[in-house]
Amino acid sequence: MEGVSGNKYGGVLRFSRDPCTRVAETVDSPSRKPRADAERNRLRLLDTAKAVFGEKGPSASLEEIAREAGVGIGTLYRHYPTRDALIEAVYRNETGQLAAAATRLSEAHPPVEALRQWLLLFIDYLGTKYGMAAVFGSVTGGTAALYAACNSGTPEAIALLTGRAVASGEVRLDMDPIDLLRAIAGVASAGPGWQDTARRLVDILIAGMRV
Amino acid sequence: MEGVSGNKYGGVLRFSRDPCTRVAETVDSPSRKPRADAERNRLRLLDTAKAVFGEKGPSASLEEIAREAGVGIGTLYRHYPTRDALIEAVYRNETGQLAAAATRLSEAHPPVEALRQWLLLFIDYLGTKYGMAAVFGSVTGGTAALYAACNSGTPEAIALLTGRAVASGEVRLDMDPIDLLRAIAGVASAGPGWQDTARRLVDILIAGMRV
DNA sequence: TTATTTCCGGAGACGCCCTCCACTTAGTGT
DNA sequence: ACACTAAGTGGAGGGCGTCTCCGGAAATAA
């Protein structure tokens, strides 16, 4: 499933100013075809960033990432003008599948159980995928507002699941569901074995939401 | 460098290997009285650090703290050899009262209610006291292991409260109680209004712990 | 006062962030 | 095939931080 890392854009790739729609807008362009080397560099940077962030956390040196990717620092900044842009790109890439799982789970399970399953999945991703825990932590804690609005469907995913669960009448939730994720992420990276703790926290949270 | 370090305190100050007992071990010393100016500087640094950390978060520039305190950068490093040492000193200073409140609350309220009250108090501290939210976040998330074991009685405080609550048979908790704080801190600094969210989270957590 | 010990403070080495721009190179029209 | 040109490259450089080191100042002891 990792193979689907699809960044094959058909036409001209444009980055809009709005981060939410930054993914891929094929613009009716009178201009020329995008250069192959640029796209190559972008992908190399993304891969390298994923690895390095996973290894050293989201505050890893951007110079190191550029070096490791075999490009100049200027090239990194050309593709990802800010550290957040780069983190977001990695993050988006990683969580796309999480979002996809939301619809799948919500079709295969009763509402509350689907939510529970997805939260457990979220923990797995947090832990096993390239140290995303730290990245997510920095994202929620740090330059948060941006991501809260628009990261790769995660908010939509959990909104869907909690919406269904609440609609079923079994649970109640008077806060932004994404704060559930923040709570879980807060427990993460608290030392080895945090995943068990996080899983217990999920049970506590769901039990606490029951009417 | 782990060994001796100049500081206040009577004789030669020894840092034990265990950070928990780092506070003050006065070794039987035939040496002289500690210098007054050193202690003065240490206090100035502590106050300034508190203010600056509160204002700019735990990643504020140490040079700025030194400048603002009117001492050289070298003096700062002499008293607090690492950024974490400084943060810990501020943190310890701030949370002493929190720890004190634990015993008070546990005498004045039934077990579960005492726990609830204290968690709410924790939120207040997180929010109003010099931006401790960010500091606590960086502490739990960052160089965590150290603090998890021993910061200023906070672990003891919550252990006391949860211990009583569990003993009462009303609730159940199969995880390190300090992870409750981590969860709450995870919600913190998620934008304005997080305190309401955090308070609701407390209710959810306690409800979820009920047997 | 003088001697001794502690402590101060800032220069300096080094790393990282980010910008800027001379240079290179991939696509394009002929 | 070939020059043309805009897109893209990369790294030097300025700014800011961290942390170390040690000559000199200052406080205590005698």
Side-chain angles (χ1 to χ4, degrees):
Chain A
M1 54 157 61
E2 272 79 22
V4 197
S5 67
N7 285 38
K8 313 127 186 216
Y9 307 106
V12 176
L13 177 62
R14 277 278 130 118
F15 283 174
S16 110
R17 215 72 79 260
D18 173 10
C20 293
T21 58
R22 190 191 294 192
V23 191
E25 287 176 20
T26 331
V27 174
D28 50 341
S29 71
S31 61
R32 58 165 64 188
K33 199 165 75 173
R35 287 173 53 157
D37 57 341
E39 178 67 1
R40 230 178 12 243
N41 283 334
R42 221 193 91 256
L43 290 180
R44 288 203 54 131
L45 280 169
L46 202 55
D47 282 349
T48 310
K50 191 189 302 182
V52 174
F53 280 146
E55 198 172 316
K56 315 207 168 182
S59 62
S61 156
L62 297 186
E63 278 182 341
E64 177 183 348
I65 292 175
R67 211 180 314 125
E68 199 124 337
V71 304
I73 183 67
T75 301
L76 185 152
Y77 275 94
R78 157 166 286 268
H79 287 295
Y80 303 100
T82 67
R83 169 180 232 93
D84 278 352
L86 181 54
I87 290 181
E88 191 205 349
V90 171
Y91 179 64
R92 177 191 305 280
N93 202 49
E94 289 301 307
T95 53
Q97 303 160 53
L98 247 194
T103 54
R104 185 166 48 71
L105 285 173
S106 87
E107 284 162 11
H109 295 279
V112 175
E113 178 60 15
L115 173 60
R116 206 181 72 92
Q117 293 280 341
W118 190 82
L119 289 177
L120 293 179
L121 205 59
F122 177 73
I123 292 172
D124 283 348
Y125 268 79
L126 227 46
T128 62
K129 284 281 190 181
Y130 311 105
M132 252 182 53
V135 173
F136 190 83
S138 95
V139 160
T140 52
T143 334
L146 198 164
Y147 304 90
C150 66
N151 40 26
S152 73
T154 300
E156 290 80 358
I158 187 150
L160 166 70
L161 290 162
T162 54
R164 244 172 51 100
V166 167
S168 79
E170 292 180 52
V171 302
R172 195 161 52 82
L173 182 65
D174 44 5
M175 58 192 243
D176 183 347
I178 211 166
D179 283 317
L180 292 177
L181 303 188
R182 281 195 243 269
I184 293 171
V187 163
S189 64
W194 66 266
Q195 305 204 15
D196 285 334
T197 302
R199 278 188 270 269
R200 288 192 210 105
L201 180 60
V202 166
D203 288 334
I204 290 178
L205 289 172
I206 290 195
M209 289 164 58
R210 285 219 137 86
V211 290
Chain B
M1 53 154 71
E2 266 88 27
V4 191
S5 164
N7 242 335
K8 62 164 173 177
Y9 311 126
V12 176
L13 175 65
R14 298 220 147 234
F15 282 174
S16 105
R17 217 69 77 261
D18 173 10
C20 294
T21 59
R22 188 193 295 191
V23 190
E25 286 177 23
T26 329
V27 176
D28 51 345
S29 71
S31 61
R32 59 165 69 187
K33 199 166 73 172
R35 285 173 53 160
D37 56 343
E39 176 67 2
R40 230 176 15 241
N41 282 333
R42 218 193 94 257
L43 290 180
R44 288 205 52 127
L45 279 168
L46 202 55
D47 281 349
T48 311
K50 190 189 301 182
V52 174
F53 280 146
E55 198 172 317
K56 316 209 165 177
S59 63
S61 158
L62 298 185
E63 275 182 342
E64 178 182 348
I65 292 175
R67 209 180 316 123
E68 200 123 337
V71 305
I73 183 67
T75 301
L76 186 152
Y77 276 94
R78 157 168 286 267
H79 287 296
Y80 303 100
T82 67
R83 170 181 232 96
D84 278 352
L86 182 53
I87 291 182
E88 192 206 349
V90 171
Y91 180 64
R92 178 191 304 281
N93 204 48
E94 287 302 304
T95 54
Q97 305 159 54
L98 250 192
T103 54
R104 186 164 47 72
L105 286 173
S106 87
E107 284 163 9
H109 296 277
V112 176
E113 178 60 15
L115 174 59
R116 206 181 72 91
Q117 293 281 341
W118 191 83
L119 290 178
L120 295 179
L121 205 58
F122 177 72
I123 293 173
D124 282 348
Y125 267 80
L126 230 44
T128 61
K129 282 281 191 184
Y130 311 105
M132 254 182 51
V135 173
F136 190 84
S138 96
V139 160
T140 52
T143 334
L146 199 163
Y147 304 90
C150 64
N151 37 28
S152 72
T154 301
E156 291 80 358
I158 186 151
L160 165 71
L161 290 162
T162 54
R164 244 171 52 99
V166 167
S168 80
E170 292 178 52
V171 302
R172 194 163 51 82
L173 182 65
D174 44 5
M175 58 192 240
D176 183 347
I178 210 165
D179 283 316
L180 292 176
L181 302 188
R182 281 195 242 271
I184 293 171
V187 163
S189 62
W194 66 266
Q195 304 206 16
D196 285 334
T197 302
R199 279 188 269 269
R200 286 191 212 106
L201 181 61
V202 167
D203 288 334
I204 290 180
L205 289 173
I206 289 195
M209 289 166 58
R210 287 219 136 85
V211 289

